[in-house]
Amino acid sequence: MAPTPHPFDSARDYEVRLASKLVKDAYPAEANVHFVQIDRLDPPKKDMIKYLEAEKHGLPLPAIPRVFYAYYWTNTLEFNKALVNVTVGHVITRTKLPKGVCGPLLPDDMMEWEEYCTNHPVVQAEIAKLKLPAGYTVRNDPWIYATDDPNERRPLVQFFMYVLAGNGHTESNHYSLPLKFSPVFECFSKKFIRMDYLPGGFDETTTPTGPWQQVPCVEYHPDLNGESIPREVKPLLITQPDGPSFTVEGGKVKWQGWEFRVSSSSREGFAVYDVSFKGRQVFYRISLSEMTVPYGDPRAPYHRKQAFDLGDCGFGTNGNHLNLGCDCLGTIKYMDGYGIHANGEPYVIPNTICMHEQDNGILYKHVNYRTNNAVVARKREFVVQTIATVANYEYVINLKFVNDGSIDIETRATGILSTMPIDENVKVPWGTIVGPNVMAAYHQHILSFRIDPAVDGHKNTVVFDDTLKLPRSKLNPYGIGFVSDRKYVEKAGYVEQSPFTNRTYKIINENVINPISKTPVGYKIAMPARQMILADDDSFNVKRAKFATQQVWVTKYRDHELFAAGEFTNQSQNDTGLGEWANGTDDVRNEDIVVWATLGFTHIPRVEDFPVMPVETHNIHLVPFNFFDKNPALDIPQSNQAFNKSTLYTGGKEEPACCKTKI
Amino acid sequence: MAPTPHPFDSARDYEVRLASKLVKDAYPAEANVHFVQIDRLDPPKKDMIKYLEAEKHGLPLPAIPRVFYAYYWTNTLEFNKALVNVTVGHVITRTKLPKGVCGPLLPDDMMEWEEYCTNHPVVQAEIAKLKLPAGYTVRNDPWIYATDDPNERRPLVQFFMYVLAGNGHTESNHYSLPLKFSPVFECFSKKFIRMDYLPGGFDETTTPTGPWQQVPCVEYHPDLNGESIPREVKPLLITQPDGPSFTVEGGKVKWQGWEFRVSSSSREGFAVYDVSFKGRQVFYRISLSEMTVPYGDPRAPYHRKQAFDLGDCGFGTNGNHLNLGCDCLGTIKYMDGYGIHANGEPYVIPNTICMHEQDNGILYKHVNYRTNNAVVARKREFVVQTIATVANYEYVINLKFVNDGSIDIETRATGILSTMPIDENVKVPWGTIVGPNVMAAYHQHILSFRIDPAVDGHKNTVVFDDTLKLPRSKLNPYGIGFVSDRKYVEKAGYVEQSPFTNRTYKIINENVINPISKTPVGYKIAMPARQMILADDDSFNVKRAKFATQQVWVTKYRDHELFAAGEFTNQSQNDTGLGEWANGTDDVRNEDIVVWATLGFTHIPRVEDFPVMPVETHNIHLVPFNFFDKNPALDIPQSNQAFNKSTLYTGGKEEPACCKTKI
């Protein structure tokens, strides 16, 4: 018998199995219950606060049941959600969701439909028209269908078709050879709905499928990419001879004064909980909440290209199996995730979260020029990393806990651009030609990070500070003065960006005053001002993703309000997340609040992004701001050679000593 | 006899000695020539282009004389500049500069004046009034005087006075104990000019000096900071068992396809020259050009706090002696810099530039979900680093060459805040209380980086691209389309920031078309939109630093136009740099141009920034944009355990295997 998991621990295999069994047992066999996602819910916060208090003081722990949700379809094409108490073993609720609500797609299903599509007679007939050279075949990527018709209520999937070059290699880059037809099927029933044809010119005009014009495939795989002379790179090894500075027990991490819990999540990849530094509470929960990727190519069917990578697919469900020495360097602790099969049986996704510490240069330094005595300390980070592959793209999410009490939320976008066919000698203003007859449309990656603060307690306030010129006066005769101006967020809503007034957002606790600065303790949310979603306000793209219209949102905390665009995003027509919760009426000043930080970047592809894209890195920093009574990193050991054991470079032909020492 | 230096090599000791001797010989002994800076000039670009071409093709090298400049005072308090050809050994010109022009301050002089000031009878009389406790003494920081009076033509220095706590430790943090009087002296003559008194309340009112009210000193030095229990941190070692991937010969660096030269500079710290990647020219020269630090406290004499850390002090002159294992990890190559004494004799500043390579996580990754085959490569950077201590502050400048053809210009601000006295129970809107009776005023750090491009040649153009919504139309029926709109910089001037149109700046070569994208090759300048200088347009702060008013400037290349605020900034009254060169008339399209990128950050101090400040890091990225015909990093070896030799974490109490494997 396994030990009872901590309420914040990842779902266990036996819990997933029990949840699916209880749900299946509630239906007749002929219902063919078909699961697409099963995971645990967070316990109610009010219960967890008591639990964490008891845990902190070593008191008896209140019993908190483990509750799971299950999304599943029945053979009547109805989509359902059940809540299951796996601690006592009963189904709490079973809800049939309104027609048109689609849950996330299941990887098993996608793989099956992918093959089914290619072999479908209508598609085969189209493929035949291509008259492909010997050895050349066709591969497809199933794509979420998204939305363009309020009356479309069927679960659909759109297949983008590509030529697979005739080199017989499984890793050939089909994204380099996009085709101009794109079938649409109904999910589960696999009914053929429609054949879409893709434009290749400068407008929306399409042409019937004809013989494929052979062009070279731009390959990324080392076996194929034609880089016959590999670049000479010497190993750079990171070792910790005395072991790492961190400990991980179950989901509990301790490192340099930081304490928190890590839990894998089918939808979010992972979440961290109950974060404290030097014994003081800072955050209750942090996770990626949603990401939408709208494309700027206006032509059908591309106008529907708007993925919600968490809600439509699942970041954990599509998490990579990370490998030692491949995805991070140093001493690595791994955690597993899991996926499920349609029958509710879980499978392990090994090592899908990795944790390690790394150096990041100088943290602070001062030299007294009178004595040349230097005080210098190094910045070190503890990284919690996961990587998800969502069809063509990869996303690396790094949560970095820094030894100065700050947290750096880092996103790295890599992988392969989503490509479209383009005819020779055609240019379009919404895309970049990245290879022969292949175009990558401009698009945006707009991520929402959900930050549930607990800055010295749960009653927090969001403020924003602008730095403003001081008018000339007797006090400011030379017109050089400037001051800080603070505003408070009183009601649930958003704060606009204002980079030119140096606007900074802070989460403060008005009930705790810093004894030095005489101001409320807080954490700053530092992120660059960015272009938000570009689509029309009354477009589906915006209606489905209100979170993508503003950079900072504040809502009142409510249990289970976790996902910025709402619980169900696949083919959604409205944002049922921040669109509803940021209601302008909830009081959010000195309340239990949630902050939603939108990190957006408009991606204008460059040729260098193909065939595989060097990371585009974007960050949000959470920085203690008048939280501590001095620099909290004064206790870290000084940086010196006895500790760091660096090596002096002696290679190359050095200059004659005369030039270096004769002065 | 030392070998003839390359035209881009750092100044040699014997060259500095010869330059100063030739200048001194041109004056009678009683002139007491007093040097403040001597360094080499860059050769005319037209000559260097020929030289570099010949060098590239192994042809005989044209002779290019080494020309030095010298700044010096004479005992008649006149400031002069000489140009000296040290190759043939003659003085080219000697120029007496107009009254009011001050050169940079010399560290030797500052140290001497610092002691002179404290011991001056007027200052001693003031100190006596403090009735300091036994063992407590006074220390001062000489500060550049800056400007508030068009008629003030004398070279002046302002001394900020502090109590040095009576702990007998040389490293005690005097910045924690600022005093309320601040004498002004004339430079060189050391004539006492005036005693300024500093306000301690909420306005400009000052009070006569009285007994000092004893308060605790907030210490940063490990001997004094009271951190009795050092944080437990395990070593993290970076080793390169097969040696580094770079070679450095003299000033020439080669690393993973990058080739460039590094030269130390008294004013700039260092500059890199003749930068190419994979055999293609990219930049002719990159360096920090100027930095201004205006303070927002409007009260006299703080209204004059506006440092120009390059022009007033010299970044190289104040460069740190870096130590192995302290300032970077791994295999380190060091380069020396030098300073001079007033008599023109040079002295070495050892190891003031360090170079090493480092890992920076994943560069690119893709997993084919059909086969689970992963392609993954790591981001590695070659870092050229220098650190300057300008009185209280430290600045770390990192130029990072990345293995994907991009360059990351990184600034890290650390050190100690410039502090002011503040009375108990007083708050001011332009500063943060960071310790007992000590306040740190809001200020800005505004840096100008000079980027002299050579993107596939010297004829380049700056463009800026906005991403704009496409209006609804037959082509865009759903209102989701967006396109890129390009504008060209035709005349010398600036480009405004526009983050909400995703404005990106690019340096392109209109004469070289990328065969894939069919667009001109280029490099993108990526930096966040930021608040620029806050002072009034007609304030001295702005008149002296026009560069600080806009984020991107373009000028036509001219030899010796290197410094954004002009050659002489100390007590300057006008910007004689971009203020003159960005004239709106020079053609800069498809010309030899220079781009000036202004990186600004408004620093609202937090308690955590005291007594020593965790780095505030800001970056400018130079990214190939349709420059290569595909991802130029496809030739780097795949990331795997055989190469990286990572370690699996096994510490801590792992979960029972059942929970991890039974699924």
Side-chain angles (χ1 to χ4, degrees):
Chain A
M1 178 54 202
T4 318
H6 187 281
F8 287 148
D9 277 350
S10 312
R12 303 289 189 235
D13 58 342
Y14 55 85
E15 294 175 314
V16 174
R17 248 186 235 105
L18 176 58
S20 60
K21 178 182 187 311
L22 291 168
V23 171
K24 274 183 291 188
D25 292 353
Y27 289 84
E30 58 273 22
N32 291 327
V33 170
H34 184 110
F35 292 99
V36 291
Q37 196 169 92
I38 304 174
D39 205 344
R40 71 161 179 81
L41 291 177
D42 277 351
K45 192 191 263 189
K46 64 169 180 15
D47 300 341
M48 277 314 297
I49 288 173
K50 294 199 196 88
Y51 184 101
L52 296 172
E53 271 304 300
E55 191 177 39
K56 190 173 167 187
H57 299 103
L59 303 171
L61 300 173
I64 295 187
R66 302 266 289 180
V67 176
F68 277 58
Y69 69 88
Y71 299 147
Y72 54 98
W73 293 82
T74 56
N75 56 358
T76 49
L77 264 196
E78 281 161 343
F79 181 62
N80 305 268
K81 173 186 181 180
L83 295 181
V84 184
N85 179 327
V86 300
T87 304
V88 301
H90 74 86
V91 175
I92 302 165
T93 59
R94 284 189 292 140
T95 312
K96 184 190 301 178
L97 291 147
K99 198 152 183 52
V101 173
C102 296
L105 297 176
L106 187 72
D108 284 6
D109 292 337
M110 307 273 270
M111 305 280 268
E112 183 196 333
W113 301 340
E114 182 176 335
E115 192 184 348
Y116 180 86
C117 165
T118 302
N119 297 326
H120 189 279
V122 181
V123 178
Q124 281 294 319
E126 212 66 28
I127 292 172
K129 298 177 192 166
L130 297 171
K131 301 200 180 349
L132 292 174
Y136 283 62
T137 55
V138 167
R139 182 183 268 178
N140 74 62
D141 272 22
W143 255 74
I144 54 101
Y145 184 83
T147 311
D148 64 358
D149 175 2
N151 304 315
E152 181 54 79
R153 288 280 178 258
R154 299 169 293 188
L156 300 174
V157 59
Q158 178 118 31
F159 295 84
F160 288 108
M161 314 294 297
Y162 307 86
V163 169
L164 189 64
N167 52 34
H169 198 298
T170 59
E171 303 313 302
S172 184
N173 180 23
H174 60 283
Y175 298 105
S176 179
L177 307 173
L179 288 167
K180 290 187 184 172
F181 57 92
S182 175
V184 176
F185 284 80
E186 184 175 70
C187 300
F188 308 107
S189 76
K190 295 188 235 162
K191 191 193 306 168
F192 173 76
I193 302 294
R194 185 177 75 244
M195 182 67 73
D196 288 337
Y197 292 91
L198 311 184
F202 58 89
D203 66 12
E204 69 276 24
T205 313
T206 61
T207 50
T209 306
W212 180 64
Q213 185 203 340
Q214 185 164 358
V215 291
C217 181
V218 184
E219 301 282 9
Y220 66 92
H221 194 279
D223 296 351
L224 303 169
N225 66 19
E227 299 290 343
S228 44
I229 309 135
R231 195 184 300 186
E232 205 207 344
V233 181
K234 301 284 179 62
L236 185 147
L237 307 184
I238 296 177
T239 56
Q240 300 201 265
D242 303 349
S245 314
F246 62 85
T247 62
V248 184
E249 297 187 17
K252 181 67 182 272
V253 177
K254 295 183 184 180
W255 178 76
Q256 288 202 34
W258 285 104
E259 295 194 25
F260 53 91
R261 291 186 166 272
V262 179
S263 173
S264 72
S265 158
S266 300
R267 181 158 178 160
E268 300 163 288
F270 68 84
V272 299
Y273 293 87
D274 191 25
V275 179
S276 66
F277 184 65
K278 294 198 157 186
R280 283 170 70 185
Q281 215 178 5
V282 186
F283 298 99
Y284 181 74
R285 189 184 197 274
I286 301 175
S287 76
L288 175 61
S289 163
E290 191 50 271
M291 164 161 45
T292 189
V293 185
Y295 283 73
D297 188 334
R299 305 169 301 174
Y302 303 135
H303 68 283
R304 277 198 320 271
K305 285 189 82 171
Q306 181 187 23
F308 289 83
D309 289 338
L310 275 68
D312 295 354
C313 308
F315 226 69
T317 303
N318 291 284
N320 286 186
H321 171 178
L322 305 176
N323 286 302
L324 189 66
C326 301
D327 302 286
C328 17
L329 304 187
T331 301
I332 320 299
K333 161 66 180 175
Y334 289 99
M335 277 177 69
D336 295 339
Y338 70 94
I340 61 161
H341 300 297
N343 64 3
E345 179 62 17
Y347 61 88
V348 176
I349 302 172
N351 298 356
T352 198
I353 300 164
C354 65
M355 297 181 252
H356 71 287
E357 56 187 316
Q358 64 190 24
D359 179 84
N360 185 4
I362 286 171
L363 177 65
Y364 59 77
K365 181 173 188 179
H366 182 60
V367 178
N368 179 350
Y369 65 81
R370 299 164 184 84
T371 61
N372 274 320
N373 283 328
V375 162
V376 56
R378 296 194 69 76
K379 185 171 189 170
R380 202 179 288 189
E381 301 167 331
F382 182 83
V383 186
V384 182
Q385 175 176 267
T386 194
I387 306 175
T389 296
V390 188
N392 54 297
Y393 258 119
E394 267 70 16
Y395 297 97
V396 182
I397 302 295
N398 288 326
L399 209 57
K400 301 180 184 176
F401 296 83
V402 186
N403 58 349
D404 67 354
S406 64
I407 296 173
D408 181 6
I409 301 171
E410 181 176 271
T411 302
R412 297 186 176 207
T414 177
I416 303 184
L417 293 158
S418 180
T419 55
M420 291 80 166
I422 188 164
D423 300 340
E424 257 173 297
N425 309 316
V426 171
K427 278 189 193 177
V428 289
W430 48 70
T432 307
I433 301 168
V434 295
N437 295 9
V438 57
M439 181 268 282
Y442 305 161
H443 55 282
Q444 301 184 283
H445 301 264
I446 308 175
L447 298 84
S448 176
F449 287 91
R450 183 181 180 278
I451 299 162
D452 182 347
V455 175
D456 267 345
H458 295 279
K459 290 242 181 289
N460 288 171
T461 302
V462 169
V463 297
F464 52 101
D465 295 331
D466 293 323
T467 311
L468 306 174
K469 289 172 192 261
L470 195 63
R472 286 203 186 218
S473 68
K474 175 161 164 293
L475 177 65
N476 181 33
Y478 294 91
I480 60 86
F482 51 90
V483 296
S484 190
D485 175 62
R486 170 159 292 187
K487 293 198 171 50
Y488 296 78
V489 179
E490 305 277 355
K491 298 288 183 182
Y494 60 80
V495 183
E496 287 184 334
Q497 307 180 73
S498 181
F500 304 132
T501 60
N502 192 47
R503 179 164 296 175
T504 58
Y505 313 92
K506 299 182 184 99
I507 303 164
I508 65 170
N509 185 328
E510 297 186 76
N511 315 299
V512 182
I513 301 303
N514 183 303
I516 303 298
S517 63
K518 319 277 204 316
T519 56
V521 298
Y523 260 69
K524 177 170 74 172
I525 305 165
M527 56 179 166
R530 285 291 170 71
Q531 182 173 50
M532 293 285 105
I533 191 165
L534 272 156
D536 278 0
D537 291 347
D538 55 358
S539 65
F540 277 115
N541 285 11
V542 170
K543 286 184 191 154
R544 304 175 71 203
K546 278 283 189 319
F547 79 85
T549 61
Q550 295 289 342
Q551 202 168 12
V552 173
W553 299 78
V554 185
T555 60
K556 191 174 188 122
Y557 175 86
R558 287 191 197 83
D559 289 329
H560 313 311
E561 288 186 356
L562 290 176
F563 308 120
E567 184 173 9
F568 301 108
T569 58
N570 188 7
Q571 291 181 235
S572 70
Q573 305 198 337
N574 288 295
D575 177 326
T576 57
L578 289 175
E580 295 180 356
W581 307 327
N583 52 22
T585 56
D586 291 342
D587 291 319
V588 294
R589 182 166 179 178
N590 202 23
E591 297 280 354
D592 187 0
I593 58 171
V594 177
V595 180
W596 311 73
T598 311
L599 187 71
F601 53 104
T602 301
H603 185 187
I604 307 297
R606 48 187 190 124
V607 174
E608 292 82 355
D609 290 335
F610 202 67
V612 62
M613 176 186 160
V615 287
E616 221 352 283
T617 304
H618 299 279
N619 303 72
I620 299 172
H621 299 282
L622 305 174
V623 184
F625 195 95
N626 300 337
F627 185 74
F628 297 103
D629 62 0
K630 62 179 179 176
N631 178 347
L634 292 177
D635 60 342
I636 55 184
Q638 290 295 294
S639 175
N640 60 51
Q641 175 64 356
F643 190 80
N644 292 324
K645 300 185 170 45
S646 288
T647 307
L648 188 66
Y649 171 82
T650 53
K653 191 153 78 328
E654 296 303 282
E655 293 176 286
C658 65
C659 305
K660 299 186 68 182
T661 61
K662 237 178 49 194
I663 293 180
Chain B
M1 178 55 201
T4 317
H6 187 280
F8 286 148
D9 276 351
S10 311
R12 302 288 189 235
D13 59 340
Y14 55 83
E15 295 175 316
V16 174
R17 246 185 237 106
L18 176 58
S20 60
K21 178 182 186 308
L22 291 168
V23 171
K24 273 183 292 188
D25 290 353
Y27 290 84
E30 57 274 22
N32 292 328
V33 171
H34 184 110
F35 293 98
V36 291
Q37 196 169 92
I38 304 175
D39 205 344
R40 73 161 177 81
L41 292 178
D42 277 350
K45 194 193 260 187
K46 64 170 180 13
D47 301 341
M48 277 315 296
I49 288 172
K50 295 199 196 84
Y51 185 100
L52 296 173
E53 271 305 300
E55 191 178 39
K56 190 172 167 187
H57 299 102
L59 302 170
L61 299 173
I64 294 187
R66 302 264 291 180
V67 175
F68 278 58
Y69 70 88
Y71 299 148
Y72 55 98
W73 294 80
T74 57
N75 58 358
T76 49
L77 265 197
E78 282 160 342
F79 182 62
N80 304 268
K81 174 186 181 179
L83 295 182
V84 184
N85 178 328
V86 299
T87 304
V88 301
H90 74 85
V91 175
I92 302 165
T93 59
R94 285 189 290 138
T95 313
K96 183 191 299 177
L97 291 147
K99 199 153 181 51
V101 174
C102 297
L105 297 175
L106 186 72
D108 282 8
D109 292 337
M110 305 273 271
M111 304 280 269
E112 183 195 334
W113 302 341
E114 181 175 335
E115 191 182 350
Y116 180 86
C117 165
T118 302
N119 297 326
H120 189 280
V122 181
V123 178
Q124 281 294 320
E126 212 65 29
I127 292 171
K129 298 178 193 165
L130 297 170
K131 304 198 177 347
L132 291 175
Y136 282 62
T137 55
V138 167
R139 181 182 270 178
N140 73 61
D141 272 22
W143 254 73
I144 54 102
Y145 185 82
T147 311
D148 64 358
D149 175 3
N151 304 315
E152 181 55 80
R153 287 281 177 259
R154 299 169 293 187
L156 300 173
V157 58
Q158 176 119 29
F159 294 84
F160 288 107
M161 314 295 295
Y162 307 86
V163 169
L164 189 63
N167 52 35
H169 199 296
T170 60
E171 304 312 303
S172 184
N173 179 23
H174 60 284
Y175 298 104
S176 177
L177 307 173
L179 287 166
K180 289 187 184 171
F181 58 92
S182 174
V184 176
F185 284 80
E186 186 174 70
C187 301
F188 308 106
S189 76
K190 298 187 231 158
K191 191 193 307 168
F192 173 77
I193 301 294
R194 183 178 77 244
M195 183 67 74
D196 289 337
Y197 292 91
L198 311 184
F202 57 88
D203 65 12
E204 69 277 23
T205 313
T206 61
T207 50
T209 305
W212 179 65
Q213 184 203 339
Q214 185 164 358
V215 289
C217 181
V218 184
E219 302 282 10
Y220 66 91
H221 194 278
D223 296 352
L224 303 169
N225 65 18
E227 299 290 342
S228 44
I229 309 137
R231 195 184 300 186
E232 204 208 345
V233 181
K234 300 284 178 62
L236 185 147
L237 307 184
I238 296 176
T239 56
Q240 300 200 266
D242 303 350
S245 314
F246 62 85
T247 63
V248 184
E249 295 186 18
K252 181 69 182 270
V253 177
K254 295 183 184 180
W255 178 75
Q256 287 202 32
W258 285 103
E259 294 195 25
F260 54 89
R261 290 186 166 274
V262 180
S263 174
S264 72
S265 159
S266 299
R267 180 156 177 160
E268 301 163 288
F270 69 85
V272 299
Y273 294 87
D274 191 25
V275 179
S276 66
F277 183 65
K278 293 196 158 188
R280 283 170 71 185
Q281 214 179 6
V282 186
F283 299 98
Y284 181 75
R285 190 183 196 275
I286 301 174
S287 76
L288 176 61
S289 163
E290 192 49 270
M291 163 163 46
T292 188
V293 186
Y295 284 72
D297 188 334
R299 305 169 302 172
Y302 304 134
H303 69 283
R304 278 198 318 273
K305 286 189 81 168
Q306 181 187 25
F308 288 82
D309 289 338
L310 274 68
D312 295 356
C313 308
F315 225 69
T317 304
N318 291 284
N320 286 188
H321 172 177
L322 305 176
N323 286 301
L324 188 66
C326 300
D327 301 287
C328 16
L329 305 186
T331 301
I332 319 298
K333 162 66 180 174
Y334 289 100
M335 278 177 70
D336 295 340
Y338 71 93
I340 62 162
H341 300 298
N343 63 3
E345 179 62 17
Y347 61 87
V348 176
I349 303 172
N351 298 356
T352 196
I353 299 165
C354 64
M355 297 181 253
H356 71 286
E357 57 188 314
Q358 64 191 24
D359 178 83
N360 185 6
I362 285 171
L363 177 66
Y364 58 78
K365 180 172 189 180
H366 182 60
V367 178
N368 178 351
Y369 65 80
R370 299 165 185 83
T371 61
N372 272 318
N373 283 326
V375 161
V376 56
R378 297 195 67 79
K379 187 173 191 169
R380 203 181 284 189
E381 302 168 330
F382 182 84
V383 186
V384 183
Q385 174 177 267
T386 193
I387 306 175
T389 296
V390 189
N392 54 297
Y393 258 119
E394 268 70 18
Y395 298 96
V396 182
I397 302 294
N398 289 327
L399 210 56
K400 301 180 184 176
F401 297 83
V402 186
N403 58 348
D404 67 354
S406 65
I407 296 174
D408 180 8
I409 301 171
E410 181 176 272
T411 302
R412 296 185 177 208
T414 176
I416 303 183
L417 292 159
S418 179
T419 55
M420 291 80 166
I422 188 164
D423 300 340
E424 256 172 300
N425 308 317
V426 170
K427 278 188 194 179
V428 290
W430 48 70
T432 306
I433 302 168
V434 295
N437 295 8
V438 57
M439 182 269 284
Y442 304 160
H443 56 281
Q444 300 183 282
H445 302 265
I446 308 175
L447 298 84
S448 175
F449 287 91
R450 183 180 180 279
I451 300 162
D452 183 345
V455 176
D456 267 345
H458 295 281
K459 291 242 180 291
N460 289 168
T461 302
V462 170
V463 297
F464 52 103
D465 296 331
D466 293 323
T467 311
L468 306 174
K469 290 172 192 261
L470 195 62
R472 285 204 186 217
S473 69
K474 175 162 162 293
L475 177 65
N476 181 34
Y478 294 92
I480 60 86
F482 51 88
V483 296
S484 191
D485 175 63
R486 170 159 292 186
K487 292 197 173 49
Y488 297 78
V489 179
E490 305 276 355
K491 300 288 183 181
Y494 60 79
V495 182
E496 286 184 334
Q497 308 179 75
S498 181
F500 303 132
T501 60
N502 192 46
R503 180 164 295 175
T504 58
Y505 313 92
K506 298 181 185 98
I507 303 164
I508 65 170
N509 186 328
E510 297 186 76
N511 315 298
V512 182
I513 302 302
N514 183 304
I516 303 299
S517 63
K518 319 277 202 325
T519 57
V521 298
Y523 260 70
K524 177 170 73 172
I525 305 165
M527 56 179 169
R530 284 289 169 70
Q531 182 173 50
M532 293 284 103
I533 191 165
L534 272 156
D536 278 1
D537 291 348
D538 55 356
S539 66
F540 278 114
N541 284 12
V542 169
K543 286 182 191 155
R544 304 176 70 204
K546 278 283 191 307
F547 79 84
T549 61
Q550 294 288 342
Q551 200 167 15
V552 173
W553 299 78
V554 185
T555 61
K556 192 174 185 117
Y557 174 87
R558 288 191 199 83
D559 290 330
H560 313 313
E561 288 187 355
L562 291 176
F563 308 120
E567 185 173 7
F568 301 109
T569 58
N570 189 6
Q571 291 183 235
S572 69
Q573 304 198 338
N574 288 296
D575 177 326
T576 57
L578 289 176
E580 294 179 358
W581 307 328
N583 52 23
T585 56
D586 292 341
D587 291 317
V588 293
R589 182 165 179 178
N590 203 19
E591 298 280 354
D592 187 1
I593 58 171
V594 177
V595 180
W596 312 73
T598 311
L599 187 71
F601 52 102
T602 301
H603 185 186
I604 307 298
R606 45 185 194 128
V607 173
E608 291 84 353
D609 290 336
F610 203 68
V612 62
M613 176 184 159
V615 288
E616 193 35 80
T617 304
H618 300 279
N619 303 72
I620 299 172
H621 299 282
L622 305 173
V623 184
F625 195 94
N626 300 338
F627 185 74
F628 298 102
D629 63 1
K630 61 179 179 175
N631 179 346
L634 291 178
D635 60 342
I636 56 183
Q638 290 294 294
S639 175
N640 59 52
Q641 174 65 353
F643 190 81
N644 292 324
K645 299 184 170 48
S646 288
T647 306
L648 188 67
Y649 171 82
T650 53
K653 189 153 79 328
E654 296 304 282
E655 292 176 285
C658 64
C659 308
K660 300 186 67 182
T661 60
K662 235 179 50 196
I663 290 178

